[in-house]
Amino acid sequence: MAKWLLALWLAAAQAWASDAAVVVGAALPETGLLADLARDMKRALVLWQETRNAAGGLLGRRVELVILADRSEAGAAGRLYTQLMENERADLLIGPFGSAASVGAAAAAERARRVLVNATGVTRNVHRAGTRFVFQVPAPL
């Protein structure tokens, strides 16, 4: 829990100086083999955004959720997460659905020194590289 709060604080601190929304980005499969499994993750992120904004946002700023579709293609994760950071100006990243996609997303986040909260990609390969900006949040059993 403390790592999750630290990750949110770090991401929000990057955008603290302006009144713009805190942009939270993720790439999820809306089509393809993993779409049915990831549907609830998208619903949870939208619910979190609505709940946070109803409670005053994050550090007093509105939360804007940007979700890109990865079509269940793990190889697209690195490119999509780079797009989230560069084009969408994401302050905080939520990991993609699945271990294979998480490896690419984590690499992109590390290169950009951007916090990525990873909940569904449980592979150890993400952390073997000595990541500093990727936080693993285990899903409840």
Side-chain angles (χ1 to χ4, degrees):
M1 181 67 161
K3 285 185 179 182
W4 174 253
L5 292 174
L6 175 63
L8 286 176
W9 181 84
L10 288 172
Q14 290 178 354
W16 187 300
S18 72
D19 290 330
V22 175
V23 179
V24 178
L28 297 175
E30 294 185 13
T31 60
L33 293 173
L34 298 174
D36 287 343
L37 296 172
R39 189 169 291 117
D40 286 339
M41 184 173 172
K42 181 178 179 182
R43 287 179 185 153
L45 288 172
V46 170
L47 178 62
W48 173 78
Q49 173 194 16
E50 292 170 355
T51 303
R52 277 289 62 197
N53 285 335
L58 189 58
L59 295 175
R61 296 177 51 206
R62 184 177 55 80
V63 173
E64 179 183 333
L65 182 61
V66 176
I67 298 177
L68 300 180
D70 71 9
R71 299 184 312 261
S72 298
E73 297 172 7
R79 175 181 52 79
L80 291 172
Y81 278 83
T82 298
Q83 180 180 339
L84 283 165
M85 292 178 284
E86 293 177 358
N87 299 348
E88 306 297 337
R89 304 277 190 220
D91 300 301
L92 171 66
L93 302 169
I94 305 297
F97 194 83
S99 294
S102 294
V103 173
E110 284 295 313
R111 279 192 303 274
R113 302 172 57 95
R114 195 71 47 91
V115 171
L116 180 133
V117 178
N118 185 33
T120 65
V122 296
T123 181
R124 293 177 195 255
N125 292 337
V126 171
H127 299 285
R128 283 191 181 138
T131 57
R132 293 180 43 209
F133 294 91
V134 178
F135 293 84
Q136 182 69 41
V137 180
L141 298 174

